[in-house]
């Protein structure tokens, strides 16, 4: 089962996915930023890489169209956003409805958007974590598939908390990707249907 991974930066989630020997073939790693260090990591795994640089397009829609066409060229069963830092248009998202996942570094619906660990510390929450969800037009608002929680410690900084969450992301995302690629997760009428044990 072919899948593609979209990145914008370091690609540590991408690396965790590639390390996990998922039951599918990663056809490409696509980045919107040419300087994303994850591109070199992908190449080291022998995965074809492609840059669709959003600066090279006159409009957001033109970029989204080019990106969607590139993704479709791999006929993926699954599109994994992994540290992909672009807001995608409704038209783009609609083309991949039910087969595009994202991992967000908070326990949604808490702390959507960016700088989620700073948000968590500012709110003095005692529990934080990460969420894997289907991508829908609602930014960071798609149907939740799975979450992993971590404690927030009294002396936590943004960095220490981010590191603790990132470690859980690297465990959760491959697990959910495997569920999807083995037909245990579906988006039906906007609701998640998951038959995986311990879901
Ligand atoms: C990290 O903040 C992670 O929590 C979020 O995207 C950022 C970069 O992740 N999912 P990665 O190392 O590029 O996968």
């Amino acid at each position: 089962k072919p899948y593609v991974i979209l990145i914008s930066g370091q690609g540590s989630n991408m690396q965790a996915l590639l390390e996990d020997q998922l039951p599918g073939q990663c056809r490409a790693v696509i980045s919107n930023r040419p300087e994303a260090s994850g591109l070199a990591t992908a190449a080291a795994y022998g995965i074809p890489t492609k840059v669709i640089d959003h600066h090279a397009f006159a409009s957001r829609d033109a970029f989204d169209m080019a990106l969607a066409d590139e993704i479709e060229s791999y006929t993926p069963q699954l599109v994994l956003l992994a540290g992909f830092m672009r807001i995608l248009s409704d038209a783009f998202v609609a083309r991949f409805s039910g087969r595009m996942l994202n991992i967000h570094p908070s326990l949604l619906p808490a702390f959507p958007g960016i700088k989620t660990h700073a948000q968590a510390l500012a709110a003095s929450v005692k529990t934080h974590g990460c969420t894997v969800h289907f991508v829908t037009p609602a930014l960071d608002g798609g149907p939740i598939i799975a979450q992993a929680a971590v404690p927030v410690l009294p002396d936590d900084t943004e960095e220490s908390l981010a590191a603790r969450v990132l470690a859980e992301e690297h465990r959760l995302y491959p697990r959910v990707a495997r569920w999807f690629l083995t037909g245990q997760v579906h988006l039906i009428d906007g609701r998640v249907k998951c038959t995986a044990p311990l879901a």
Side-chain angles (χ1 to χ4, degrees):
K1 291 198 170 169
Y3 64 93
V4 299
I5 303 175
L6 273 57
I7 66 169
S8 295
Q10 174 194 351
S12 72
N13 275 292
M14 171 205 68
Q15 184 161 13
L17 290 161
L18 296 177
E19 278 294 319
D20 193 63
Q21 302 292 323
L22 294 173
Q25 182 200 19
C26 185
R27 299 285 306 285
V29 166
I30 305 170
S31 175
N32 64 303
R33 294 177 60 243
E35 65 275 25
S37 57
L39 289 166
T41 306
Y45 281 83
I47 309 291
T49 61
K50 176 78 177 178
V51 173
I52 309 275
D53 185 343
H54 59 275
H55 293 112
F57 294 86
S59 71
R60 177 174 290 275
D61 283 349
F63 165 77
D64 279 12
M65 289 267 287
L67 180 59
D69 291 348
E70 178 68 22
I71 292 168
E72 295 276 24
S73 74
Y74 300 102
T75 63
Q77 308 251 321
L78 176 61
V79 182
L80 295 164
L81 304 184
F84 187 69
M85 305 303 276
R86 290 281 298 175
I87 294 177
L88 296 163
S89 66
D90 294 8
F92 177 97
V93 168
R95 288 175 66 173
F96 304 101
S97 179
R99 58 179 170 134
M100 181 178 284
L101 306 183
N102 183 47
I103 189 158
H104 180 78
S106 79
L107 293 177
L108 292 171
F111 316 134
I114 59 172
K115 297 196 69 58
T116 60
H117 312 303
Q119 290 186 61
L121 291 172
S124 301
V125 295
K126 304 309 170 196
T127 304
H128 187 41
C130 53
T131 302
V132 177
H133 62 92
F134 279 103
V135 176
T136 64
L139 177 64
D140 297 332
I144 292 170
I145 301 170
Q147 297 186 301
V150 301
V152 180
L153 305 177
D155 58 347
D156 261 331
T157 61
E158 204 176 333
E159 292 70 26
S160 61
L161 187 52
R164 193 172 309 122
V165 171
L166 195 58
E168 287 306 315
E169 291 180 47
H170 296 165
R171 280 193 275 274
L172 186 65
Y173 215 1
R175 205 163 129 229
V176 174
R178 178 177 298 278
W179 290 345
F180 186 93
L181 289 167
T182 53
Q184 299 181 82
V185 177
H186 300 90
L187 183 63
I188 297 171
D189 297 331
R191 300 180 65 82
V192 174
K193 294 282 179 266
C194 184
T195 56
L198 298 177

